[in-house]
């Protein structure tokens, strides 16, 4: 496995997860349709962390549920999400997902670890159960394996016999991470792992996830916390109104020259450490998306073309004003 | 404006969450209270909003010592403080439309006739359209619901606004938008602000001064450590 | 929208159940409300020549020991049982909701005292308590209703109290208090509407309970007087003929008690499914 995060160097490898034109529609009562995710396209390589960022309601959690096969029955998915080059998560049956994918090939780091752990059983009992299920370790080896599993997520040995409610937020997060790591899954999926945690804890959680990525796993982290994304990600995918509008390397995205898509720029500028200025307006309803660019109504650069025609996702960007290239043509104008 | 003196509070007298905490917010001042999650700062916020009776200590609001909490507090005292909580989903009665949500304090205080006018004033301020106002909480996003909760806290024009982790669940843009609404209201009304949170960068940018939880608590050794 | 997400029971099964239950309930309601006033038949008509006739075209349910038509008797009996059941269930629900809401909303000592009284009353068998209550009055409809209401509000009070307690700690109640709402307003505007679906469900589920309670009292001869024949009275008066091998006077009143009970329970179950499912749409917003 590699500890080199230059995506170019990893181009030759088979991605751990390759998502192509993934769309999720919810059929609602009364014939209404909700386009929760539309034409998502991205891939994650071993040892790489991709952060999927966007505001709540942009469809990123639905995307995560789709990858785990946990969508409600009224959802329809199209496209493909190929895991490890051989299993399409969207067409695999529930039996395959339950027996060979969840836990074994995708480890889930949950949003609220305290709720994810079984309240009436100690952490040790839950770790041992996962070990039995996922690795087949039995008998006396189990105790030792549990210690190793806990140590991997930096969960202190002395707290193993505690119940979830006796753990602080940080320890609960580590316990959940320890469980996610047990199956040695090549892909970790972290859905808002830092919501409600304070800054120190966010950084510690994120750093630990980064460490597991450096060991050669692929990490897909879904978050609205840009500071957390900046700290951990190799690449960033920005989602708006169900579509990925930009995918970029993290360093130029957060540093210079900055994001190319106006929405991503607006999102970064809203941070308190930057301009602290909100993007005007609110995102459109996923059930009533405009024909043109979904961001046009809030965009300072929008012109007639933006409202008429939906920009294609090309060169990792969906914006009329920057068809190709690294820099935003209007960036200079805006900065001037 | 608000003076908390040696407040001890919690849900079990033998094991209070807040111990001997003092805090001062001057009229028109914006104070940020910074602390890790689970340290008891939300409980302190509820004490300050007259929603939770402390076990010991005194709360002085506008120079008057507070004698009763919740329903025992005089209505004028209660409504002088506006509160916004962390989780909009839990802070909104699921049966009410956003319009009714915002109007509730007016109806509670016998100002039903002001409802159309005040809602019409506040909705654009917090960025809610007429169409959104008619929806119920389950049909809007967290960010939209929190906008309505903020409007509800402002509808009676409080002299002190308490924001308890108001933006913890929200994205950067909505956070900036809500803070801008609060600041606009404060500049127009001269109201004071107590913003409770764990995001140092945010509170330092937002408030006149920030207080760290440990600095003012005698019982800081109890503060949960991750 | 969310229903399809729930694996059990399947949508079709559930629809069949709802339709069947609703059809039965409507049919029963029509039978007991429309037939008696319209029919020119006298359920009390005695015909000693045809006593204890087995079911036939003239008497589909047969006749009883004095030759009265059992189908007619059952319809009238169900009418009485259902009315007693409805009124008693409604009364019990109102009492239970009021007491449960007060205990939950006030908390503290009020709550402790009220709930200990509830526990104490619950520890006495319902029927025993019911018998004790009817025994204090002259036989009639009202003593039976009072007996049912006073023994059946306990579970509703418990349900409502726990619902109120869980709602009371929600921040939206804090927000209402902070917005100047009075205690009454919090209870009436925010807590009660939140528990009404649960209380309504409890009420529907209680109707069959109340009917059975009434039947049990009548069967023991403590319920309604003989001229207001309820299903319980019918079963009771048929005991003698059952020993002689005449099954119809007990079977049909029994079925008339069981079938509406199951139908009501089926409808209540559908209602419960309706108020319970998590709205999956929240997941994506």
């Amino acid at each position: 496995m590699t500890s080199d995060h230059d995506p170019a160097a990893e181009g030759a490898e088979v991605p751990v997860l390759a998502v192509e034109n993934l769309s999720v529609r919810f059929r609602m009562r009364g014939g209404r349709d909700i386009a929760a995710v539309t034409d998502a396209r991205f891939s994650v390589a071993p040892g790489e962390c991709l952060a999927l960022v966007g505001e709540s309601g942009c469809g990123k959690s639905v995307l995560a549920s789709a990858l785990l096969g946990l969508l409600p029955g009224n959802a329809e998915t199209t496209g493909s999400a190929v895991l490890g080059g051989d299993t399409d998560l969207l067409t695999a049956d529930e039996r395959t997902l339950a027996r060979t994918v969840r836990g074994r090939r995708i480890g889930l780091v949950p949003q609220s670890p305290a709720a994810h752990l079984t309240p009436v059983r100690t952490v040790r009992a839950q770790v041992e159960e996962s070990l039995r299920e996922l690795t087949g370790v039995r008998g006396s080896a189990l105790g030792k394996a549990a210690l190793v599993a806990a140590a991997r997520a930096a969960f202190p040995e002395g707290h193993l016999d505690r119940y979830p409610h006796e753990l602080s937020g940080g320890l609960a997060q580590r316990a959940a991470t320890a469980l996610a790591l047990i199956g040695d899954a090549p892909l970790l999926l972290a859905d808002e792992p830092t919501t409600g945690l304070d800054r120190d804890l966010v950084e510690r959680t994120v750093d630990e996830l980064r460490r597991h990525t450096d060991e050669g796993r692929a990490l897909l982290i879904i978050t609205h916390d840009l500071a957390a994304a900046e700290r951990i990600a190799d690449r960033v995918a920005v989602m708006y109104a169900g579509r990925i509008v930009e995918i970029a390397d993290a360093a130029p995205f957060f540093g210079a020259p900055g994001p190319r898509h106006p929405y991503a720029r607006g999102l970064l500028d809203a941070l308190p450490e930057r301009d602290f200025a909100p993007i005007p307006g609110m995102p459109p309803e996923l059930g009533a998306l405009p024909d043109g660019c979904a961001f046009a109504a809030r965009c300072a650069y929008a012109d007639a073309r933006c409202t008429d025609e939906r920009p294609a996702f090309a060169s990792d960007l969906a914006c009329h004003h920057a068809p190709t290239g690294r820099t935003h043509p209007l960036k200079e104008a805006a900065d001037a | 404006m608000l003076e908390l003196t040696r407040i001890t509070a919690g849900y079990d007298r033998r094991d209070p969450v807040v111990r001997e905490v003092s805090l001062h917010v001057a009229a028109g001042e914006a104070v940020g209270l910074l602390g890790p999650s689970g340290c008891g700062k939300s409980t302190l916020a509820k004490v300050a909003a007259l929603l939770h009776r402390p076990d010991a200590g005194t709360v002085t609001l506008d120079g008057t010592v507070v004698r009763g909490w919740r329903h025992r507090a005089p209505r004028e005292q209660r409504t002088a403080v506006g509160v916004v909580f962390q989780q909009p989903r839990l802070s909104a009665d699921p049966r009410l439309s956003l319009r009714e949500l915002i109007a509730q304090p007016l109806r509670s205080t016998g100002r039903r006739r002001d409802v159309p006018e005040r809602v019409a004033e506040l909705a654009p301020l917090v960025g809610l359209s007429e169409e959104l106002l008619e929806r119920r909480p389950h049909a809007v996003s967290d960010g939209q619901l929190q906008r309505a909760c903020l409007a509800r806290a402002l509808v009676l024009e409080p002299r002190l606004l308490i924001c308890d982790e108001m933006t913890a669940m929200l994205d950067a843009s909505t956070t900036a938008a809500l803070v801008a609404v609060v600041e606009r209201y404060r500049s127009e009304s001269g109201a004071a602000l107590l913003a409770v949170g764990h995001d140092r960068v945010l509170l330092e940018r937002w408030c006149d001064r920030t207080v760290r939880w440990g600095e003012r608590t005698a019982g800081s050794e109890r503060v949960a450590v991750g | 929208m969310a229903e399809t997400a729930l694996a059990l029971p399947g949508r079709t099964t559930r629809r069949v159940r709802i339709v069947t239950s609703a059809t039965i309930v409507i049919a029963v309601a029509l039978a007991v409300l429309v037939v008696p006033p319209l029919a020119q038949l006298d359920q009390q008509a005695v015909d000693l020549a045809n006593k204890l006739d087995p079911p036939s075209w003239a008497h589909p349910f047969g006749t009883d020991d004095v030759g009265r038509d059992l189908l007619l008797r059952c319809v009238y009996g169900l009418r009485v049982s259902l009315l007693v059941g409805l009124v008693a269930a409604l009364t019990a629900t109102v009492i239970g909701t009021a007491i449960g809401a007060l205990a939950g909303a006030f908390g503290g000592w009020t709550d402790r005292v009220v709930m200990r009284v509830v526990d104490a009353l619950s520890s006495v068998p319902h029927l025993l308590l019911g018998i004790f209550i009817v025994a204090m009055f002259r036989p009639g409809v009202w003593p039976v209703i009072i007996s049912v209401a006073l023994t059946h509000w306990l579970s509703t009070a418990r349900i409502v109290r726990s619902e109120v307690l869980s709602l009371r700690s929600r921040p939206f109640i804090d927000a209402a208090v902070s917005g100047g709402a009075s205690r009454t307003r919090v209870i009436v505007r925010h807590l009660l509407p939140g528990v009404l679906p649960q209380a309504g469900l409890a009420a529907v589920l209680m109707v069959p309970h109340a009917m059975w309670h009434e039947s049990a009292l009548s069967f023991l001869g403590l319920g309604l007087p003989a001229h207001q024949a309820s299903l319980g009275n019918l079963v009771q008066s048929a005991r003698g003929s059952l020993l002689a091998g005449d099954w119809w006077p007990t079977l049909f009143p029994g079925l008339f008690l069981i079938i509406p009970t199951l139908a009501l329970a089926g409808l209540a179950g559908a209602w419960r499914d309706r108020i319970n499912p998590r709205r999956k749409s929240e997941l994506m917003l």
Side-chain angles (χ1 to χ4, degrees), chain B residues 102-112 114-115 118 155-156:
Chain B
I102 298 171
Q104 279 307 304
L106 291 173
R107 295 192 190 281
S108 299
T109 50
R111 293 172 54 191
R112 197 180 316 158
D114 299 345
V115 168
R118 283 296 285 151
V155 76
L156 293 179

Side-chain angles (χ1 to χ4, degrees), chain B residues 34 199-208 210 212:
Chain B
L34 264 173
D199 189 336
R200 187 180 49 79
V201 183
L202 172 68
L203 291 189
E204 281 176 356
R205 176 83 185 242
W206 182 3
C207 302
D208 300 330
T210 56
R212 284 195 159 267

Side-chain angles (χ1 to χ4, degrees), chain B residues 1-14:
Chain B
M1 176 70 221
L2 173 72
E3 182 85 58
L4 300 170
T5 318
R6 298 171 68 84
I7 297 289
T8 297
Y11 304 88
D12 179 353
R13 268 181 181 279
R14 286 157 297 179

Side-chain angles (χ1 to χ4, degrees), chain A residues 41-127:
Chain A
R41 211 183 315 158
F42 62 87
S43 65
V44 198
E48 183 194 34
C49 169
L50 175 70
L52 188 59
V53 302
E55 53 208 288
S56 70
C58 73
K60 54 193 196 305
S61 297
V62 174
L63 182 57
S65 306
L67 295 179
L68 290 166
L70 296 176
L71 286 173
N74 62 336
E76 282 176 13
T77 52
T78 52
S80 68
V82 179
L83 184 66
D86 53 17
T87 309
D88 187 345
L89 296 170
L90 302 183
T91 53
D93 54 285
E94 172 59 28
R95 191 184 151 90
T96 314
L97 289 175
R99 298 242 170 132
T100 67
V101 173
R102 292 187 210 120
R104 290 181 168 84
R105 298 183 64 185
I106 303 181
L108 175 70
V109 182
Q111 172 164 8
S112 48
H116 190 75
L117 300 166
T118 309
V120 294
R121 303 185 61 201
T122 62
V123 175
R124 187 191 302 277
Q126 297 184 48
V127 168

Side-chain angles (χ1 to χ4, degrees), chain B:
Chain B
M1 176 70 221
L2 173 72
E3 182 85 58
L4 300 170
T5 318
R6 298 171 68 84
I7 297 289
T8 297
Y11 304 88
D12 179 353
R13 268 181 181 279
R14 286 157 297 179
D15 186 20
V17 204
V18 178
R19 283 188 196 188
E20 308 240 332
V21 181
S22 299
L23 185 70
H24 174 77
V25 182
E29 190 187 25
V31 176
L33 176 61
L34 264 173
S37 36
C39 72
K41 56 192 194 302
S42 289
T43 308
L44 190 70
K46 282 177 82 172
V47 170
L50 313 189
L51 290 171
H52 185 90
R53 188 162 55 85
D55 298 333
T58 52
V59 177
T60 314
L61 201 60
D62 268 340
T64 318
V65 175
V66 175
R67 303 254 172 244
W69 271 264
R70 293 188 79 87
H71 294 292
R72 292 206 178 85
R75 184 174 277 167
E76 308 74 61
Q77 226 171 21
R78 258 191 276 159
T79 54
V81 187
V83 209
V84 189
F85 299 100
Q86 174 174 6
Q87 293 178 307
R89 292 264 159 243
L90 301 181
S91 320
D93 190 331
R95 297 172 312 103
L96 301 179
S97 67
L98 299 198
R99 177 188 303 282
E100 271 311 301
L101 188 79
I102 298 171
Q104 279 307 304
L106 291 173
R107 295 192 190 281
S108 299
T109 50
R111 293 172 54 191
R112 197 180 316 158
R113 278 181 299 131
D114 299 345
V115 168
E117 188 195 336
R118 283 296 285 151
V119 173
E121 274 172 34
L122 279 165
L125 190 71
V126 296
L128 290 175
S129 65
E130 279 295 314
E131 193 262 327
L132 280 173
L133 283 177
E134 299 312 323
R135 295 207 206 167
R136 291 200 293 161
H138 69 85
V140 302
S141 72
D142 277 358
Q144 291 164 339
L145 196 51
Q146 192 67 303
R147 286 167 192 262
C149 289
L150 176 57
R152 174 179 62 186
L154 297 180
V155 76
L156 293 179
E157 300 177 312
R159 294 191 299 281
L160 169 67
L161 189 64
I162 297 181
C163 298
D164 180 13
E165 299 269 21
M166 176 174 76
T167 61
M169 319 278 287
L170 307 176
D171 62 281
S173 175
T174 312
T175 299
L178 288 184
V179 168
V181 172
V182 169
E183 285 312 297
R184 186 163 155 202
Y185 169 73
R186 292 205 322 115
S187 69
E188 284 167 6
S189 66
L193 169 74
L194 175 61
V196 178
H198 60 244
D199 189 336
R200 187 180 49 79
V201 183
L202 172 68
L203 291 189
E204 281 176 356
R205 176 83 185 242
W206 182 3
C207 302
D208 300 330
R209 69 185 168 92
T210 56
V211 182
R212 284 195 159 267
W213 181 257
E215 285 169 9
R216 294 295 182 105
T217 58
S220 57
E221 76 278 0
R222 268 207 76 263
V223 168
V225 181

